[in-house]
Amino acid sequence: MIPYGRQDITQADIDAVVSVLRSDFLTQGPMVPRFERAVADHVGAAHAVAVNSATSALHIACLALGLGAGDWLWTTPTTFVASANCGLYCGAQVDFVDIDSRTYNMCPRALRAKLEVAAREGRLPKIVVPVHLCGQPCDMAAIHALAVEFGFKIIEDASHAIGGRYRGEYVGNCRHSDVTVFSFHPVKIVTTAEGGLATTNDADVARRMELFRSHGITRDPLQMTHAPDGPWYYQQVELGYNYRMTEIQAALGVSQMDRLDEYVAQRHALARRYDTLLASLPVITPWQHPDGYSGLHLYVIRVPSGGNGLSHAAVFEALRAGGIGVNLHYIPVHTQPYYQAMGFAPGDFPEAERYYEEAISLPMYATLTETEQDKVVETLANAVRH
Ligand SMILES: *Cc1c(COP(=O)(O)O)cnc(C)c1O
């Protein structure tokens, strides 16, 4: 089976991990700060806070921005459930904004329309979470302008987008947001096995995310309610969690970051090749907005229903049967049973639902060979021309 995504582990990665295993610190040592610095410097952000997953990073970002009961968090329905669940973890309510039909990202026009209604009804969101689907940056200038006008905070879910750029600058520099979150799951662009990280330019938000990462405990006398009792002293000043990244993971991350730009360039070469090879097939290839340079975590095609070819589901099944590990990103979050029980229903976000009826993620990862890619295209061609 050719998977839709997979990690690339080199001898340098293995050496980096082994050297941590032989060192004094398996956790809470020097590698996590080094990884944080490597990512912050690469993307051009002032601060980075590494944690054990992007899900944890979304959670502590929401907490650091003050999300709580009575607040609203809005995101896109076309995302992994974690982009929405982080709001529920904080006791807030979650709502969605439909996607743009070309980029599949949160539509700024739909966002404005929904904000105008919410302003009249007195239920504006505290946080909006745009997701850079497939690695293609959202229209951040437009979303940021709405944040200024309507007074909400922005967390970019850039789980697909590390190494991508928006208007020439790396995703994660937070020029148009409060916090940006990355994922280092093995299917993503660079990996730490499990892992996530949040960048920000706000020192206070960074400090609060560090607190929530580790039990809400501080050893900094400036953050304590009174002078330390002694050198052993620490205080718990918030209710935090254990979301720490290990030294082993951070060492793998530091080593992988060396190859980030190379990985993204390889993904772009593969995407251009797919674009050419698929041009004559009755499928829609990904449209790229000129403002963005995608991280290209995913290469999603759409198989329009109707016509005389196989249905979307049949094409999907034919690919799987042919040894191509395709996937579907994503089932609209509002149609998940957990969200339907909160009152959402099919029909609420039609563009996201139409996308779901047609989307297929083809294999896309840095080490995918041209021979493998040819097999994907051939299997797809046979399926759609059936
Ligand atoms: C993978 C992913 C996450 C969650 O990442 P983890 O590191 O697995 O917690 C969140 N949002 C999106 C869009 C993702 O693709």
Side-chain angles (χ1 to χ4, degrees), residues 53-55 79-80 82-83 131 157 159-160 183 185 188 195 330:
S53 73
T55 305
T79 186
F80 186 55
S83 320
V131 179
D157 184 341
S159 293
H160 299 182
S183 171
H185 184 279
K188 307 289 166 73
Y330 289 96

mmCIF file of all heavy atoms in Angstrom, residues 53-55 79-80 82-83 131 157 159-160 183 185 188 195 330, ligand 1:
data_model
loop_
_atom_site.group_PDB
_atom_site.id
_atom_site.type_symbol
_atom_site.label_atom_id
_atom_site.label_comp_id
_atom_site.label_asym_id
_atom_site.label_seq_id
_atom_site.Cartn_x
_atom_site.Cartn_y
_atom_site.Cartn_z
ATOM 1 N N SER A 53 1.449 17.519 21.588
ATOM 2 C CA SER A 53 0.626 17.383 20.371
ATOM 3 C C SER A 53 0.113 18.758 19.963
ATOM 4 O O SER A 53 0.097 19.696 20.773
ATOM 5 C CB SER A 53 -0.564 16.444 20.597
ATOM 6 O OG SER A 53 -1.542 17.068 21.410
ATOM 7 N N ALA A 54 -0.358 18.847 18.729
ATOM 8 C CA ALA A 54 -1.008 20.088 18.293
ATOM 9 C C ALA A 54 -2.329 20.283 19.037
ATOM 10 O O ALA A 54 -2.742 21.414 19.287
ATOM 11 C CB ALA A 54 -1.253 20.055 16.790
ATOM 12 N N THR A 55 -2.976 19.187 19.382
ATOM 13 C CA THR A 55 -4.218 19.269 20.154
ATOM 14 C C THR A 55 -3.958 19.986 21.479
ATOM 15 O O THR A 55 -4.713 20.888 21.869
ATOM 16 C CB THR A 55 -4.769 17.847 20.396
ATOM 17 O OG1 THR A 55 -4.913 17.207 19.125
ATOM 18 C CG2 THR A 55 -6.091 17.866 21.113
ATOM 19 N N THR A 79 -11.987 20.457 8.800
ATOM 20 C CA THR A 79 -10.747 20.340 9.574
ATOM 21 C C THR A 79 -10.814 19.081 10.410
ATOM 22 O O THR A 79 -11.853 18.420 10.496
ATOM 23 C CB THR A 79 -10.529 21.566 10.478
ATOM 24 O OG1 THR A 79 -9.237 21.466 11.102
ATOM 25 C CG2 THR A 79 -11.585 21.662 11.578
ATOM 26 N N PHE A 80 -9.677 18.770 11.052
ATOM 27 C CA PHE A 80 -9.669 17.697 12.034
ATOM 28 C C PHE A 80 -10.412 18.189 13.280
ATOM 29 O O PHE A 80 -10.363 19.382 13.601
ATOM 30 C CB PHE A 80 -8.223 17.318 12.371
ATOM 31 C CG PHE A 80 -8.115 16.123 13.257
ATOM 32 C CD1 PHE A 80 -8.713 14.926 12.915
ATOM 33 C CD2 PHE A 80 -7.417 16.193 14.448
ATOM 34 C CE1 PHE A 80 -8.628 13.821 13.747
ATOM 35 C CE2 PHE A 80 -7.319 15.094 15.281
ATOM 36 C CZ PHE A 80 -7.923 13.907 14.929
ATOM 37 N N ALA A 82 -9.889 18.326 16.263
ATOM 38 C CA ALA A 82 -9.123 19.021 17.316
ATOM 39 C C ALA A 82 -9.256 20.541 17.224
ATOM 40 O O ALA A 82 -9.236 21.229 18.250
ATOM 41 C CB ALA A 82 -7.645 18.623 17.250
ATOM 42 N N SER A 83 -9.387 21.086 16.004
ATOM 43 C CA SER A 83 -9.491 22.553 15.843
ATOM 44 C C SER A 83 -10.732 23.099 16.531
ATOM 45 O O SER A 83 -10.761 24.268 16.912
ATOM 46 C CB SER A 83 -9.558 22.942 14.357
ATOM 47 O OG SER A 83 -8.711 22.186 13.564
ATOM 48 N N VAL A 131 -7.880 27.423 9.610
ATOM 49 C CA VAL A 131 -7.038 26.240 9.394
ATOM 50 C C VAL A 131 -6.479 26.305 7.974
ATOM 51 O O VAL A 131 -7.239 26.457 7.013
ATOM 52 C CB VAL A 131 -7.869 24.945 9.567
ATOM 53 C CG1 VAL A 131 -7.009 23.707 9.324
ATOM 54 C CG2 VAL A 131 -8.500 24.901 10.959
ATOM 55 N N ASP A 157 -4.472 27.407 12.942
ATOM 56 C CA ASP A 157 -4.144 25.986 13.002
ATOM 57 C C ASP A 157 -3.330 25.675 11.745
ATOM 58 O O ASP A 157 -3.882 25.490 10.653
ATOM 59 C CB ASP A 157 -5.406 25.124 13.087
ATOM 60 C CG ASP A 157 -5.070 23.634 13.247
ATOM 61 O OD1 ASP A 157 -3.928 23.246 12.931
ATOM 62 O OD2 ASP A 157 -5.954 22.866 13.668
ATOM 63 N N SER A 159 -1.308 23.106 11.345
ATOM 64 C CA SER A 159 -0.867 21.706 11.425
ATOM 65 C C SER A 159 -0.427 21.162 10.072
ATOM 66 O O SER A 159 0.373 20.236 9.997
ATOM 67 C CB SER A 159 -2.001 20.836 11.969
ATOM 68 O OG SER A 159 -2.274 21.170 13.309
ATOM 69 N N HIS A 160 -0.960 21.747 8.971
ATOM 70 C CA HIS A 160 -0.611 21.288 7.622
ATOM 71 C C HIS A 160 0.419 22.186 6.955
ATOM 72 O O HIS A 160 0.747 21.951 5.793
ATOM 73 C CB HIS A 160 -1.850 21.323 6.721
ATOM 74 C CG HIS A 160 -2.976 20.452 7.161
ATOM 75 N ND1 HIS A 160 -4.145 20.322 6.454
ATOM 76 C CD2 HIS A 160 -3.113 19.645 8.241
ATOM 77 C CE1 HIS A 160 -4.965 19.488 7.063
ATOM 78 N NE2 HIS A 160 -4.368 19.077 8.167
ATOM 79 N N SER A 183 1.648 20.864 14.076
ATOM 80 C CA SER A 183 1.614 19.460 14.505
ATOM 81 C C SER A 183 2.817 18.722 13.936
ATOM 82 O O SER A 183 3.218 18.964 12.792
ATOM 83 C CB SER A 183 0.343 18.767 13.995
ATOM 84 O OG SER A 183 0.422 17.365 14.247
ATOM 85 N N HIS A 185 2.887 15.189 14.096
ATOM 86 C CA HIS A 185 2.484 13.797 13.898
ATOM 87 C C HIS A 185 3.213 13.247 12.663
ATOM 88 O O HIS A 185 3.510 14.007 11.737
ATOM 89 C CB HIS A 185 0.955 13.758 13.713
ATOM 90 C CG HIS A 185 0.404 12.374 13.594
ATOM 91 N ND1 HIS A 185 0.443 11.665 12.421
ATOM 92 C CD2 HIS A 185 -0.177 11.571 14.507
ATOM 93 C CE1 HIS A 185 -0.095 10.476 12.620
ATOM 94 N NE2 HIS A 185 -0.478 10.391 13.879
ATOM 95 N N LYS A 188 2.551 14.414 9.130
ATOM 96 C CA LYS A 188 2.701 15.840 8.818
ATOM 97 C C LYS A 188 4.060 16.104 8.154
ATOM 98 O O LYS A 188 4.801 15.172 7.858
ATOM 99 C CB LYS A 188 2.484 16.682 10.082
ATOM 100 C CG LYS A 188 1.163 16.390 10.805
ATOM 101 C CD LYS A 188 -0.061 16.897 10.053
ATOM 102 C CE LYS A 188 -1.382 16.333 10.554
ATOM 103 N NZ LYS A 188 -1.882 16.808 11.821
ATOM 104 N N GLY A 195 3.702 15.317 18.709
ATOM 105 C CA GLY A 195 4.234 16.606 19.153
ATOM 106 C C GLY A 195 3.512 17.760 18.515
ATOM 107 O O GLY A 195 2.871 17.621 17.468
ATOM 108 N N TYR A 330 -11.723 16.561 5.034
ATOM 109 C CA TYR A 330 -12.189 15.924 6.247
ATOM 110 C C TYR A 330 -13.692 15.730 6.176
ATOM 111 O O TYR A 330 -14.381 16.451 5.470
ATOM 112 C CB TYR A 330 -11.882 16.819 7.466
ATOM 113 C CG TYR A 330 -10.423 16.889 7.815
ATOM 114 C CD1 TYR A 330 -9.654 17.946 7.347
ATOM 115 C CD2 TYR A 330 -9.831 15.905 8.592
ATOM 116 C CE1 TYR A 330 -8.298 18.015 7.681
ATOM 117 C CE2 TYR A 330 -8.479 15.976 8.926
ATOM 118 C CZ TYR A 330 -7.723 17.021 8.456
ATOM 119 O OH TYR A 330 -6.391 17.096 8.770
HETATM 120 C C1 LIG B 1 -3.153 16.727 12.767
HETATM 121 C C2 LIG B 1 -4.029 17.893 13.045
HETATM 122 C C3 LIG B 1 -4.314 18.333 14.342
HETATM 123 C C4 LIG B 1 -3.918 17.572 15.568
HETATM 124 O O1 LIG B 1 -2.573 17.323 15.623
HETATM 125 P P1 LIG B 1 -1.994 16.340 16.764
HETATM 126 O O2 LIG B 1 -0.549 16.735 16.807
HETATM 127 O O3 LIG B 1 -2.217 14.962 16.257
HETATM 128 O O4 LIG B 1 -2.709 16.619 18.024
HETATM 129 C C5 LIG B 1 -5.057 19.494 14.503
HETATM 130 N N1 LIG B 1 -5.517 20.167 13.449
HETATM 131 C C6 LIG B 1 -5.298 19.756 12.188
HETATM 132 C C7 LIG B 1 -5.822 20.575 11.054
HETATM 133 C C8 LIG B 1 -4.556 18.607 11.951
HETATM 134 O O5 LIG B 1 -4.360 18.177 10.701
#
